Amino acid sequence: MKCVVQFSGGKDSLATLLWAVEHFGKNVIAVFCDTKWEHDLTYQHVKEVIEKLGVELVTLTGKQSFVGLAKAKKRFPSTKARFCTEELKVKPFIDWVLDQKDNLLICQGIRKDESLARSKMQDSCTFFRYYFEPYKIDKAGRKRYHTYRKKEVVEFCSKWAQDIIRPIFEWTAKQVFDYIKKQGFEPNPLYMLGFKRVGCFPCIMCTHGELKEIAQSFPETLHKLKDAEVEVGRSFFPPGYIPKRSCSNRQFPTVPEAVNYVDHDRSLSIFEPETCKSFYSLCE
Ligand code: SF4
């Protein structure tokens, strides 16, 4: 059996990786899906954690990078069209799983207090569950199933186990940080700079506070965003990201317009230097 941890470089997957090593030893495989749109600090953090733990790291990339995918789709992903997760993380991981030809125990760093959707999940299940039971019933009353590489998935499941466990499902964010520290590790430094989530940099779900922090701490990211917009030929931020009156085209903001708006948004004062920058109050 192979014990696999989906490791994103975020705190929850780090705690899960440390938990897996504590319980199963070094015979654990960390799988990192590289969207080619992560922060350098995340790449560095992943490398350091893996070196210190001495476990195997598998880095997966989709058929395209984040920008390549947006170019092919002629648009950036958005909360309503979140094809990035599926193309850059879900499908590459399924492809890797199907290549394993072994029983798998997959450890996921999902916590129930992260969101309403996650609170409805369980602390264990199977990876290909929604190929065999519906994940939802649509408005027309049809049962909807996952379908990507279905034939191979069915064949895989007839031979191999694909169990999921979520060891930190009941944990709070504070418990996660405490556990990481107790194990002698540090979370991704991006948390200390005020970022609530760690993943693509920036993520298409980037909050105003995070954009303000990016502009202040990582201004070079704004150049990366502008270059990507030129390459894709569309704006990164969707209509409605800031009020239309603050957009020169009255529809969607350019990068400078979005930055200018969040810079003048007084409600974001939580990110002022005199307060703890970390969303999780990590500065003690
Ligand atoms: S981190 Fe954000 S941008 Fe990256 S794949 Fe996930 S939702 Fe998409």
Side-chain angles (χ1 to χ4, degrees), residues 35 37-38 66 69 77-79 81-89 197-206 236:
T35 62
W37 189 250
E38 323 272 337
F66 178 87
L69 178 64
S78 68
T79 40
R82 208 173 134 183
F83 51 82
C84 46
T85 312
E86 190 168 341
E87 297 299 329
L88 303 173
K89 296 186 174 179
R197 287 181 300 262
V198 166
C200 292
F201 198 88
C203 170
I204 45 118
M205 296 190 290
C206 162
F236 181 83

Side-chain angles (χ1 to χ4, degrees), residues 13 30 33 59 85 100 109 119 146 156 163 175 204 211 216 219 221 241 267 275:
S13 64
C33 293
T59 301
T85 312
Q100 297 315 299
S119 71
H146 291 173
F156 183 94
D163 294 315
Q175 283 177 296
I204 45 118
L211 179 59
Q216 284 173 359
T221 304
Y241 187 72
S267 69
T275 65

Side-chain angles (χ1 to χ4, degrees), residues 51-71:
E51 278 172 11
K52 188 167 170 181
L53 275 175
V55 298
E56 182 185 345
L57 173 70
V58 172
T59 301
L60 303 177
T61 46
K63 288 192 178 80
Q64 285 150 324
S65 63
F66 178 87
V67 175
L69 178 64
K71 224 170 145 181

